[in-house]
Amino acid sequence: MQEVPKRIKRQVREWAGIAHDRDLRRALGELRGQFDLWERGEIDAFELNERVHRFHEDTSREIWKRYATTHLEPAVASAVATGVLHRAELPSELLQHISALIE
């Protein structure tokens, strides 16, 4: 197995951080919508609390697990495949490094 150059490892970590932030922001934006429903009186405080709890137990935990690893290439590839990261914004050598995982 070929050793991955340090610059590629650094890029993987950097872009995994960017993807993690974007993933979490997207999820928190959806959670923000639940607070909007509560503020308009469309759901009560108990229902909002339940939705926050589900967010923490499900969505937030899944995002955390995706990026809480020493093997971040699959997370970066998944972020590209789901549109969290765009191929055009990634350094070409990083994109080449993870291309097989994106498919």
Side-chain angles (χ1 to χ4, degrees):
M1 182 176 226
Q2 186 177 3
E3 179 66 24
V4 178
K6 286 183 180 182
R7 74 179 177 284
I8 299 293
K9 289 179 182 180
R10 190 171 34 255
Q11 289 176 355
V12 168
R13 285 190 308 272
E14 175 186 355
W15 285 96
I18 292 167
H20 189 176
D21 180 69
R22 289 181 186 175
D23 250 349
L24 198 51
R25 283 177 180 269
R26 183 185 331 186
L28 287 169
E30 293 171 12
L31 182 61
R32 175 69 189 135
Q34 302 305 309
F35 281 86
D36 294 342
L37 292 173
W38 171 68
E39 286 178 340
R40 290 192 305 263
E42 295 178 33
I43 62 173
D44 62 22
F46 298 106
E47 180 62 24
L48 176 61
N49 185 59
E50 179 61 30
R51 292 177 186 192
V52 169
H53 179 71
R54 277 196 313 256
F55 172 83
H56 174 70
E57 292 297 315
D58 298 331
T59 307
S60 179
R61 186 163 291 172
E62 285 302 315
I63 292 170
W64 179 82
K65 285 192 288 188
R66 189 174 308 137
Y67 297 99
T69 178
T70 56
H71 304 288
L72 291 167
E73 285 89 345
V76 175
S78 175
V80 172
T82 59
V84 172
L85 295 175
H86 304 284
R87 291 174 188 259
E89 67 184 325
L90 295 178
S92 60
E93 59 188 355
L94 174 59
L95 190 56
Q96 182 178 357
H97 176 67
I98 63 169
S99 63
L101 295 172
I102 295 170
E103 308 306 321

